[in-house]
């Protein structure tokens, strides 16, 4: 399934309007300027994972609803076969495959992620993002240079990390090849969903 930028943008605009949020409120939620938010909502720029995650959280919907227009409907279990999953290209060449797009009421968002190796990124500062919850990353192939605020770590095949994703974090492939890793974003659970 190919996700069209303009369709995702239209769903975000529609949800914002239904909920009665202003573009300024959404920009504050996302952590960007109002002009940057409006450009994204108009389909002029691509969405980062963090942008989509924060929109879904603000609207109280599953991120899959924003991406596909469909509401997850499976209640018991969901299987994604090898090479499948909901493809999401949402960050300068990063390929995300959502591994549980149709399970309703998920407490986490599991992704198979390929970070492309880019020589020009190796000596530049890594762009950091934040979102609520925690994230667990497990390296399947290659190496990942991960920045956690002022700390830099190199993770290799078989290594893993879990962190509070409300702190600045970012990553790039390193070591001369793309990096394949499993990323599981653990959502913050409110009290009504814990019981």
């Amino acid at each position: 399934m190919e996700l069209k930028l303009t369709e995702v943008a239209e769903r975000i605009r529609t949800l914002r309007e239904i909920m009665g949020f202003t573009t300024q409120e959404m920009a504050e939620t996302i952590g960007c300027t109002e002009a940057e938010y409006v450009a994204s909502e108009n389909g002029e720029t691509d969405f980062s994972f963090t942008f989509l995650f924060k929109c879904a959280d603000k609207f109280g919907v599953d991120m899959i609803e924003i991406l596909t227009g469909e509401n997850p409907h499976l209640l018991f279990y969901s299987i994604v076969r090898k090479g499948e999953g909901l493809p999401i290209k949402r960050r300068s060449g990063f390929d995300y495959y959502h591994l549980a797009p149709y399970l309703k009421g998920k407490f986490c968002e599991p992704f198979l992620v390929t970070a492309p190796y880019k020589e020009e990124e190796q000596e530049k500062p890594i762009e950091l993002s934040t979102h609520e919850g925690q994230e667990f990353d497990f390296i399947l192939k290659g190496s990942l240079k991960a920045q956690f605020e002022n700390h830099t770590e190199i993770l290799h095949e078989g290594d893993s990390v879990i962190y509070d994703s409300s702190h600045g974090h970012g990553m790039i492939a390193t070591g001369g090849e793309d990096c394949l890793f499993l990323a599981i974003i653990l959502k913050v659970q409110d009290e009504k969903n814990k019981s």
Side-chain angles (χ1 to χ4, degrees):
M1 168 187 293
E2 182 181 330
L3 300 174
K4 293 191 171 124
L5 183 66
T6 54
E7 291 175 5
V8 174
E10 181 59 34
R11 282 190 280 274
I12 290 171
R13 179 185 304 104
T14 300
L15 283 166
R16 178 185 61 76
E17 290 172 350
I18 288 170
M19 302 290 217
F21 298 127
T22 66
T23 55
Q24 181 59 43
E25 286 176 292
M26 291 305 298
E28 290 169 8
T29 296
I30 305 303
C32 64
T33 67
E34 186 174 11
E36 290 168 332
Y37 175 82
V38 169
S40 293
E41 189 180 269
N42 289 336
E44 297 165 10
T45 60
D46 208 343
F47 306 102
S48 68
F49 168 80
T50 301
F51 185 101
L52 294 168
F53 190 83
K54 287 182 176 181
C55 282
D57 187 53
K58 180 81 169 171
F59 299 146
V61 301
D62 194 292
M63 187 169 52
I64 300 307
E65 289 183 61
I66 292 174
L67 292 170
T68 68
E70 295 180 34
N71 191 352
H73 54 278
L74 299 175
L75 298 174
F76 180 37
Y77 71 94
S78 175
I79 294 175
V80 172
R81 301 290 180 196
K82 182 179 178 178
E84 295 180 6
L86 181 66
I88 306 169
K89 287 184 184 269
R90 290 287 166 256
R91 180 180 157 210
S92 65
F94 275 55
D95 288 327
Y96 291 79
Y97 286 89
H98 199 296
L99 300 179
Y102 301 111
L103 184 65
K104 186 175 186 168
K106 294 181 288 294
F107 298 131
C108 70
E109 300 287 347
F111 295 91
L112 185 61
V113 183
T114 302
Y117 176 79
K118 295 181 179 178
E119 184 64 40
E120 65 273 12
E121 291 182 334
Q122 300 306 304
E123 299 303 321
K124 292 181 180 176
I126 296 174
E127 185 178 324
L128 304 181
S129 64
T130 62
H131 53 85
E132 290 300 311
Q134 297 177 334
E135 186 167 335
F136 173 80
D137 297 330
F138 182 84
I139 311 306
L140 299 167
K141 182 180 175 208
S143 297
L144 196 68
K145 182 177 182 181
Q147 183 83 30
F148 304 104
E149 292 184 345
N150 295 323
H151 304 277
T152 303
E153 302 287 344
I154 305 294
L155 304 171
H156 302 285
E157 186 174 319
D159 292 345
S160 64
V161 62
I162 189 166
Y163 51 92
D164 179 341
S165 50
S166 69
H167 292 271
H169 62 280
M171 57 230 18
I172 61 169
T174 194
E177 66 177 334
D178 294 354
C179 180
L180 180 68
F181 63 101
L182 179 65
I184 300 174
I185 289 69
L186 305 163
K187 300 177 182 179
V188 173
Q189 298 298 308
D190 60 24
E191 290 303 315
K192 67 183 177 203
N193 289 337
K194 287 183 179 178
S195 53

